[in-house]
Amino acid sequence: MSRLLVVIGLLLPLKLWAYPQFIGYKYSSCLTCHFNGNGNGPLNDYGRALWATEIAGRLGAGKATDEELGERSGFLGKYQLPYWIRPGLKARQLWVETNPGSSGEQSLDILMQAEANLALFIGKSQKYALVASLGYVPEPSRPLGPGEEIDTLISREHYFRLQATEKLWIYTGMMDKVYGIRHANHTAYSRARTGLAQNDQAHGVVAHYINPKWELSVNAFLGNLYQQSELRQEGFSSLFEYELKENWRVGATLLNSKNDFVSNTRFGVLSRAGYGSGSALLFETGIIQDKPEAGDSVMGYYVYSEAHQRVKRGYHVFVTGQAYKQDLSSDAADNLKFGFGLLAFPMQRIEFRIEAENTQLVFAGADVPRYSWALLGQIHLSL
């Protein structure tokens, strides 16, 4: 059971934030579909319509045209809300089965996300916007300590967005830090090991400059102000992407932060390339350096790669490969992950995700690596 709880603790942070692989549909900038130009969070009107008319399948659509599906993509369907308000709801159920078919097989299902979001605008041009998301956090499986309380409702994000110029956007508030490829899997080494998991948001300011050939985001943050002051990671991060050719972007990313106990530095390079109609290749690799106030600096590495293949409208298969090592100068194990699965949007507002993931610990000089399997299933409803 203790092993199961460890696995569940790693898997629960899974949350759908963004689809960088949709560069395969020729949407290279996240601002096209999201209120947040770096991805994640609620969709704008165009993103909802795009999901209905191009990404999602036509299950239950009958004889409706794509244009009609787009018109029905709002929060209340075809009924148009006033220009100044855009609400949303999300829910996600997770099923996990570890080491299937073995004597140690364990399974669990849990409601891992229930979230309400809201965007408010000042003026029809949407130059000024307030965006917020209130989310449910599942109670931990472990016993609580004496006097320990768990808040099951937290703010996922809340920020003010300003379009300062035609190309410059400013965000102020609590948001995800800018770093690397912001993909859906927050248990990936590129997210969890860099300090960018589901609940690692920080209060700060983001400046996002968008050019036809390149984008630059710079983020200065004070840490999560809801945390104790000595634990807050204060610092800055940045992300730069350049379009080598249509549907292929390469970039570099940097994060530097510290609190009273440790200083963190992360640097990575990345590539997002689309091909065909809806297929893409993602790659990111980087260095992780942690320097405790008392102790020696430790440097490790991470790798994330994904091949995302469109099968037909609404249905995609994917393969992921990952690697991570905490300390390059030690005999610590190399952590390897390999996964494959199905990502399906049979109709607008519904997503299914099924994945099998193999994790291996490879020790130097060992003849046989230690490995385990996990099967994961998710259903996601979005209104």
Side-chain angles (χ1 to χ4, degrees):
M1 179 58 70
S2 61
R3 293 181 179 179
L4 174 63
L5 295 179
V6 170
V7 172
I8 298 305
L10 293 173
L11 294 176
L12 284 181
L14 281 171
K15 180 183 177 184
L16 193 64
W17 292 86
Y19 296 99
Q21 58 269 50
F22 284 174
I23 192 172
Y25 287 95
K26 301 183 180 179
Y27 300 103
S28 55
S29 178
C30 298
L31 187 62
T32 304
C33 296
H34 292 268
F35 294 122
N36 188 325
N38 286 287
N40 84 268
L43 294 172
N44 57 32
D45 288 351
Y46 185 85
R48 285 175 172 269
L50 175 66
W51 185 4
T53 60
E54 187 171 355
I55 306 299
R58 292 181 53 86
L59 181 65
K63 296 182 179 180
T65 65
D66 283 344
E67 182 178 355
E68 290 172 329
L69 293 177
E71 293 174 351
R72 301 174 189 172
S73 63
F75 179 70
L76 296 179
K78 199 171 183 178
Y79 176 78
Q80 293 295 315
L81 291 169
Y83 74 86
W84 54 269
I85 183 170
R86 291 294 182 269
L89 296 172
K90 291 178 179 290
R92 186 179 299 271
Q93 186 78 17
L94 170 70
W95 294 269
V96 182
E97 187 168 340
T98 59
N99 295 313
S102 71
S103 58
E105 179 179 352
Q106 298 281 355
S107 62
L108 184 72
D109 66 271
I110 187 170
L111 175 64
M112 64 180 231
Q113 181 187 6
E115 184 174 301
N117 55 69
L118 182 67
L120 300 174
F121 305 101
I122 304 173
K124 292 184 178 181
S125 65
Q126 298 189 358
K127 183 177 179 180
Y128 308 97
L130 290 169
V131 181
S133 296
L134 181 67
Y136 163 77
V137 178
E139 294 186 3
S141 300
R142 62 175 176 81
L144 299 182
E148 183 181 5
E149 295 182 359
I150 300 295
D151 292 329
T152 56
L153 288 178
I154 65 169
S155 174
R156 295 291 184 192
E157 60 180 1
H158 50 267
Y159 59 86
F160 172 73
R161 186 190 75 175
L162 165 66
Q163 185 179 3
T165 69
E166 181 181 356
K167 298 180 179 180
L168 178 62
W169 302 75
I170 306 295
Y171 305 81
T172 303
M174 183 181 179
M175 301 160 287
D176 286 285
K177 300 167 191 171
V178 170
Y179 184 87
I181 298 176
R182 190 173 287 181
H183 53 76
N185 187 354
H186 273 231
T187 67
Y189 297 137
S190 62
R191 310 300 293 175
R193 300 301 184 180
T194 55
L196 299 164
Q198 181 183 5
N199 297 319
D200 287 330
Q201 294 83 11
H203 291 83
V205 178
V206 174
H208 185 193
Y209 190 84
I210 301 176
N211 218 349
K213 284 288 187 179
W214 55 271
E215 292 188 27
L216 173 65
S217 287
V218 179
N219 182 192
F221 50 86
L222 299 173
N224 187 335
L225 298 183
Y226 300 123
Q227 284 184 317
Q228 297 176 1
S229 59
E230 63 270 19
L231 299 177
R232 299 171 191 162
Q233 283 284 335
E234 304 178 4
F236 70 91
S237 62
S238 62
L239 170 64
F240 175 79
E241 283 192 318
Y242 180 79
E243 189 173 282
L244 288 178
K245 62 179 184 178
E246 186 180 20
N247 299 340
W248 185 16
R249 288 192 168 197
V250 296
T253 188
L254 172 69
L255 185 149
N256 186 272
S257 65
K258 66 177 182 178
N259 60 19
D260 290 354
F261 305 102
V262 63
S263 297
N264 297 331
T265 300
R266 287 86 172 92
F267 174 77
V269 294
L270 55 97
S271 171
R272 295 189 296 131
Y275 65 92
S277 176
S279 301
L281 297 172
L282 307 179
F283 179 81
E284 181 181 342
T285 185
I287 295 296
I288 301 173
Q289 184 179 47
D290 296 330
K291 187 176 181 181
E293 289 298 314
D296 297 328
S297 177
V298 177
M299 179 177 291
Y301 80 97
Y302 71 89
V303 176
Y304 180 85
S305 61
E306 179 177 342
H308 186 88
Q309 177 67 50
R310 180 181 183 271
V311 179
K312 58 180 292 186
R313 176 169 165 173
Y315 298 87
H316 312 77
V317 293
F318 63 89
V319 177
T320 60
Q322 303 179 56
Y324 164 74
K325 187 170 186 175
Q326 182 181 14
D327 187 355
L328 292 171
S329 63
S330 73
D331 292 332
D334 287 276
N335 297 259
L336 306 178
K337 282 186 181 182
F338 170 76
F340 59 92
L342 170 70
L343 177 63
F345 306 91
M347 60 189 298
Q348 195 212 8
R349 309 179 193 277
I350 295 180
E351 172 205 346
F352 290 100
R353 187 182 183 98
I354 302 172
E355 182 176 4
E357 187 173 74
N358 175 262
T359 301
Q360 295 187 18
L361 299 180
V362 181
F363 292 88
D367 295 331
V368 180
R370 300 179 184 177
Y371 68 92
S372 61
W373 280 94
L375 297 178
L376 301 91
Q378 295 183 51
I379 180 171
H380 171 218
L381 304 179
S382 180
L383 302 177

